[in-house]
Structure formats: structure tokens, C-alpha cells
Amino acid sequence: MGKTTLVGAVSEIPPLTTEEEMTVASEGVDDLTGVERKTTTTVALDFGRITISEQIVLYLFGAPGQDRFWPLWNDLALGAAGAVVLVDTRKLDDGFASIDFFERRDIPFVVAVNVFDDAYHYEPEELREALTISPDVPIVMCDARQRESAKNALLTLVRRAIEKTPST
């Protein structure tokens, strides 16, 4: 949770969002366990852009995590420089599929732990063990509402992507 918020916090252009009110149609489809106060959900994707330097411009796509959106993920993964897997410790299990997705495709990623006031705060190594993340994958704490915090997660991703790029 928090992908729309993160894209909006860092985008230098007004972000394109597809956030809609949740209705009774989502009952039994979207699991709200642990996040019962959630009232909206992304129904397609979010898009934004941020310029890191004259050479690096990131196009940001926030894709919903539900299974029905996996075909969209496949399209977005084509040519992707990397990914931020935004996890919510109240629904930690939701992070496994995203992590597996990027690992299987050898796409550089970082895990950004979205910090919520009402969620338990784990140490990064506890999360690494719980999510079975390789020691070389960065874990950053992130408040998706705060521009600098969200930007730090993206900068960590850029560094990771550069490290994993084969030198020519």
C-alpha cells in the first residue's frame, strides 16, 4: 500500500492516477485484512516522472498488486531499469509475489518498507529474514507521503540498477 501516494509525492508533473473508491464489488476480491480503513484502490496504474540528473529521468509506474493485474506487470517490466517493491508490514505477505516477480526476471529492485503509525516497526534484518530477501537487496524505510523519504527509496534503486548494469 502507498504506491499512488509515493508516485504523487515525488513526481515533478501532476501524476496520472486511477484511484477509485472501493465498492461492495471488491468484497471477497480485495483482501483488506490489516488495512480495514482503506477506502480507495488503484484500478489501472499510476504514472509520474522525476528528473534525478541531466542524464537520469525516471518514469514512475505504480501498478496494483492484485493477481488480476499481472499481465500489466509483464508489460511494464519490459525495459524496466528497476523496481521499488513497497511493502506494508501490516500485510507483509503481499510482498512475496512482487519480490518473486522481479527476482525471476533479474530486474534490480529495492524493498521500501512503508512506515505507518499504526504498524509494528521491524528492523531491516528482521524483514530481510521474513521476506527471504538476498543480502545484496537494499531495504529502506520509507514514508511514501514524504517527498524526501520517497526520493531516497528511488535514489537507492538508481544506485542498485547502476551496480547491476554490466560494464561495457
Side-chain angles (χ1 to χ4, degrees), residues 37-168:
R37 293 183 304 185
K38 182 176 171 78
T39 60
T40 62
T41 192
T42 301
V43 296
L45 62 88
D46 303 312
F47 174 77
R49 183 185 73 209
I50 182 172
T51 302
I52 302 293
S53 71
E54 287 184 23
Q55 296 82 23
I56 302 173
V57 176
L58 300 180
Y59 295 96
L60 311 170
F61 297 92
Q66 296 93 336
D67 293 349
R68 65 185 177 273
F69 291 103
W70 286 113
L72 172 67
W73 281 55
N74 287 323
D75 291 339
L76 292 175
L78 297 173
V84 173
V85 176
L86 191 61
V87 298
D88 179 342
T89 60
R90 299 170 300 180
K91 294 180 65 71
L92 206 52
D93 288 352
D94 288 357
F96 287 113
S98 301
I99 290 167
D100 288 344
F101 180 90
F102 296 112
E103 283 179 337
R104 279 186 271 121
R105 287 160 180 79
D106 200 30
I107 295 174
F109 69 95
V110 301
V111 173
V113 180
N114 202 1
V115 179
F116 290 95
D117 295 335
D118 62 342
Y120 184 80
H121 295 276
Y122 296 93
E123 293 299 320
E125 290 311 310
E126 291 178 287
L127 292 165
R128 182 177 308 285
E129 185 177 329
L131 293 169
T132 61
I133 301 170
S134 169
D136 64 319
V137 174
I139 297 177
V140 295
M141 297 304 178
C142 177
D143 184 335
R145 301 166 295 184
Q146 303 296 321
R147 180 176 176 79
E148 288 305 310
S149 183
K151 199 163 74 172
N152 179 56
L154 292 172
L155 288 171
T156 302
L157 172 62
V158 169
R159 288 186 202 102
R160 172 92 169 129
I162 290 170
E163 288 170 4
K164 290 205 55 150
T165 302
S167 49
T168 55

Side-chain angles (χ1 to χ4, degrees), residues 5-56:
T5 302
L6 187 139
V7 170
V10 296
S11 182
E12 64 195 18
I13 61 172
L16 166 71
T17 63
T18 58
E19 196 81 354
E20 293 293 335
E21 292 290 322
M22 296 182 79
T23 66
V24 294
S26 69
E27 289 178 14
V29 176
D30 293 323
D31 180 13
L32 296 179
T33 306
V35 291
E36 290 82 4
R37 293 183 304 185
K38 182 176 171 78
T39 60
T40 62
T41 192
T42 301
V43 296
L45 62 88
D46 303 312
F47 174 77
R49 183 185 73 209
I50 182 172
T51 302
I52 302 293
S53 71
E54 287 184 23
Q55 296 82 23
I56 302 173

